[in-house]
Amino acid sequence: MDGRLALAAAARAKALFAVRNIAVFYDGVVVPGALLLLGSGTWMIVKFYGGWNFLQFPWLAGMAGLFAFEFIEGNTVTRLYFMRLRGLTRFALNAGGVTPKLQKARAERVPTFTHFLDLPMLFLIVALGAIQPTTWLLFFAGSIAAVALATILTLIIPRLYPWGSQALPA
């Protein structure tokens, strides 16, 4: 029995460590990286495109707009959700099982959707910079495709990994 308790304690420590590492990674890499991109991108736009003249280039205006959207969304919806999820996960680990509050938080659609929207939007930003289209067609078609893909992932992925009321490591 002591071996099972030791394994459960080790699993619980790993879960807490994983939750902590997500927060450290986000605060230590993602936020500073986004701020570095914001500063350097703004400087390059002002220096090479004369400030607001960048709006004449659909690819550059699209990239800047999508970055602004992702920056705001990432530091509001996604960040607040993961901070709340971290606290709920700690509470659930101490309680020894998935709590109703954690189950409800995991079932929220908006944070799940915005999380799944990040990669398609990043792909679109890179595509705009690489292709540099002279019309807004790629921006709008890519935005629609990104939203459609994020919607599909939001509907399918949580069903593949359900979070019933199973016990967490004690």
Side-chain angles (χ1 to χ4, degrees):
M1 191 64 153
D2 288 332
R4 289 181 68 187
L5 289 175
L7 284 174
R12 182 176 164 172
K14 285 181 183 178
L16 288 171
F17 185 71
V19 168
R20 180 189 161 276
N21 282 348
I22 290 170
V24 168
F25 177 76
Y26 192 85
D27 292 340
V29 177
V30 175
V31 172
L35 292 173
L36 181 64
L37 282 173
L38 177 65
S40 63
T42 302
W43 175 80
M44 289 173 62
I45 287 172
V46 169
K47 177 149 177 77
F48 296 109
Y49 290 92
W52 292 106
N53 290 334
F54 82 96
L55 294 174
Q56 298 172 12
F57 302 92
W59 66 271
L60 186 55
M63 287 177 69
L66 290 172
F67 177 82
F69 170 78
E70 281 295 313
F71 187 82
I72 292 166
E73 172 269 316
N75 286 294
T76 55
V77 176
T78 304
R79 182 178 180 81
L80 295 174
Y81 175 70
F82 279 118
M83 288 172 58
R84 186 166 47 94
L85 201 59
R86 180 176 53 184
L88 291 171
T89 302
R90 282 185 184 157
F91 184 80
L93 283 167
N94 290 332
V98 176
T99 63
K101 282 186 179 182
L102 179 58
Q103 222 171 337
K104 185 178 177 187
R106 287 280 300 134
E108 291 178 18
R109 296 275 192 203
V110 172
T112 303
F113 174 78
T114 59
H115 179 69
F116 286 130
L117 186 61
D118 288 345
L119 283 177
M121 282 294 178
L122 176 63
F123 182 81
L124 179 56
I125 290 169
V126 171
L128 287 168
I131 298 170
Q132 297 184 358
T134 56
T135 68
W136 287 96
L137 181 63
L138 179 62
F139 173 83
F140 289 116
S143 295
I144 290 168
V147 168
L149 181 59
T151 301
I152 291 167
L153 292 173
T154 300
L155 296 173
I156 292 174
I157 298 294
R159 289 187 183 144
L160 295 176
Y161 303 98
W163 264 63
S165 59
Q166 70 272 21
L168 292 175

